[in-house]
Amino acid sequence: MADAYHHGDLRAVVLRHAADQIAQDGVDRLSLRGLAQRAGVSHAAPAHHFGDRQGLFTALATEGFDLLAVELQAAGPDLRDVAVAYVRFALARPGHFAVLFRSDLLRADDPELTAARRRSGHALRDGVRGLEGVSDPAAVQLAAWSVVHGFASLWREGAFAGSDLLDPSADPESAARRIVDRLAFT
Amino acid sequence: MADAYHHGDLRAVVLRHAADQIAQDGVDRLSLRGLAQRAGVSHAAPAHHFGDRQGLFTALATEGFDLLAVELQAAGPDLRDVAVAYVRFALARPGHFAVLFRSDLLRADDPELTAARRRSGHALRDGVRGLEGVSDPAAVQLAAWSVVHGFASLWREGAFAGSDLLDPSADPESAARRIVDRLAFT
DNA sequence: GCTGGATCTTGACAGTGACAAGTTAGGTCC
DNA sequence: GGACCTAACTTGTCACTGTCAAGATCCAGC
């Protein structure tokens, strides 16, 4: 864009750069002014779209939950496939994933955010329908969610790196499947 | 303390306040200057003990891993008890837990940190010895760690609150046991 | 072609982490 | 008991950040 005014796509561009930078340096080092500079606009331009820092993270999380819902629905109906899809999403979109459940960074009562969160929640829930003979579906759902969320988080933070539990060169998706396949819900 | 000089206990006091504040407001809102003010010292005093922000988080994580190792060892040898102890620790010391695996906040190569991390890793590993007839111990350990880490993280971030998967008034420890008891490792 | 509203800029302010240089206290050695 | 050394803390400063207020610019619809 030659002229700075009416960038046209600023909101989307800032969100994309934010996801990139969070994936690379973590949430803590993200600077609104840095994002503005990277997008070639003035330091206060992002505020117009997101309000404040919380607003940016809220928008990013909303986008993230929507993307997650799509991935989970596409992976169904087998719960194990849904679980692996959760891990795949977390590692394919680390910038979004890092923010999804950071309630300290988000405007928890944002209507769009809660709607998107609900959508991904339903997608996860539908996965449990694929299981049969389960005495306590809610517990199974909790366990499945916990397992994939914990695995993705720990992998992402490099917690497995020095633990010789995994081949460092292993790819996370097949590692996740290895774990999920070894778990039984009674 | 009447005189500001040689506070005597500044390092410990700052660490304690830091854990409190992280538990309350999250890592993002933690300010070194705020901690200094709360401890009644000048704004640059904490830097003498921790160097910089990363140093503070590294010290807090080191303390956290040590506390975790103690808890896990005391809970053994049954893997399920170890798993529940992990959750109990995460929710009893949220300020420490929030920082343990935040590699973006920590000085990953700090020797004391890596030593403490190794200690808690061993404690977790010892738990798996209590299981018999397991074909793939490493996968079991990964799964167990993932499940409790994910559950504690999601609980801590309030992710279960609006999901009607759990009675909101349920206590996390018994909820964790309910899940762990329903999981079988093949 | 005028007007209203959305988009972006400019300028300013308080708060933050980090650094440098100075000050104080407590112990040690003679 | 006096000089000295080092750890602990202070003071002052800097660049940077998020946020706000006020102004400039552009576009769409009438």
Side-chain angles (χ1 to χ4, degrees):
Chain A
M1 301 281 159
D3 51 351
Y5 274 92
H6 290 87
H7 180 287
D9 211 20
L10 183 58
R11 194 187 137 95
V13 166
V14 168
L15 277 179
R16 196 171 67 237
H17 287 171
D20 286 352
Q21 187 138 353
I22 292 173
Q24 192 172 358
D25 294 333
V27 150
D28 217 54
R29 280 191 268 271
L30 184 76
S31 137
L32 294 185
R33 291 174 105 106
L35 288 175
Q37 191 174 8
R38 193 163 157 186
V41 295
S42 81
H43 67 256
H48 183 261
H49 293 277
F50 303 106
D52 56 4
R53 197 175 152 87
Q54 266 197 334
L56 170 63
F57 289 135
T58 301
L60 194 62
T62 302
E63 192 177 67
F65 275 119
D66 275 334
L67 291 167
L68 175 60
V70 170
E71 291 290 324
L72 295 186
Q73 272 161 359
D78 188 300
L79 176 59
R80 294 173 197 280
D81 293 333
V82 175
V84 172
Y86 190 101
V87 173
R88 184 170 46 230
F89 168 82
L91 297 161
R93 301 203 179 258
H96 290 86
F97 182 72
V99 143
L100 288 189
F101 300 103
R102 288 291 303 277
S103 57
D104 55 331
L105 301 178
L106 305 176
R107 223 186 308 280
D109 57 343
D110 183 275
E112 298 186 34
L113 174 64
T114 55
R117 179 160 35 204
R118 198 183 317 273
R119 279 191 287 276
S120 69
H122 286 329
L124 188 64
R125 150 157 317 187
D126 289 344
V128 183
R129 297 223 181 97
L131 279 185
E132 296 169 359
V134 169
S135 62
D136 186 348
V140 170
Q141 194 169 352
L142 276 178
W145 189 5
S146 297
V147 146
V148 291
H149 185 80
F151 181 81
S153 302
L154 289 170
W155 181 289
R156 172 86 193 117
E157 294 300 334
F160 297 144
S163 72
D164 69 353
L165 287 172
L166 276 177
D167 182 358
S169 64
D171 91 293
E173 189 174 333
S174 56
R177 185 163 293 281
R178 174 174 158 216
I179 288 178
V180 167
D181 285 346
R182 209 157 294 272
L183 272 183
F185 303 107
T186 62
Chain B
M1 305 284 158
D3 52 351
Y5 272 91
H6 290 86
H7 181 288
D9 212 20
L10 184 58
R11 194 187 139 96
V13 166
V14 167
L15 277 179
R16 196 171 66 238
H17 287 171
D20 286 353
Q21 188 139 351
I22 293 173
Q24 193 171 358
D25 295 331
V27 150
D28 215 55
R29 279 190 268 273
L30 185 75
S31 136
L32 294 184
R33 290 174 106 106
L35 288 175
Q37 191 174 8
R38 194 163 157 187
V41 294
S42 81
H43 67 256
H48 182 260
H49 292 278
F50 303 106
D52 57 3
R53 197 175 152 87
Q54 266 197 334
L56 170 63
F57 288 134
T58 301
L60 194 61
T62 302
E63 192 178 66
F65 275 118
D66 275 335
L67 291 167
L68 175 60
V70 169
E71 292 289 324
L72 295 186
Q73 272 161 358
D78 188 302
L79 176 59
R80 294 174 197 279
D81 293 332
V82 174
V84 172
Y86 190 101
V87 174
R88 184 170 47 229
F89 168 82
L91 297 162
R93 302 203 177 257
H96 289 87
F97 182 71
V99 143
L100 288 189
F101 300 102
R102 289 290 303 276
S103 57
D104 54 331
L105 301 179
L106 305 177
R107 221 185 308 282
D109 57 343
D110 181 275
E112 298 186 33
L113 174 64
T114 55
R117 177 158 40 205
R118 198 183 317 270
R119 278 191 287 276
S120 69
H122 286 328
L124 189 66
R125 151 159 313 190
D126 290 344
V128 183
R129 297 224 181 96
L131 279 184
E132 296 171 358
V134 169
S135 63
D136 187 347
V140 170
Q141 194 170 351
L142 275 178
W145 188 6
S146 296
V147 107
V148 292
H149 185 81
F151 180 81
S153 302
L154 289 170
W155 182 289
R156 172 86 193 119
E157 295 299 334
F160 297 143
S163 73
D164 69 351
L165 286 174
L166 276 178
D167 182 358
S169 64
D171 90 291
E173 190 175 332
S174 56
R177 185 162 291 283
R178 176 176 157 215
I179 288 178
V180 168
D181 285 345
R182 212 156 293 273
L183 273 183
F185 302 107
T186 62

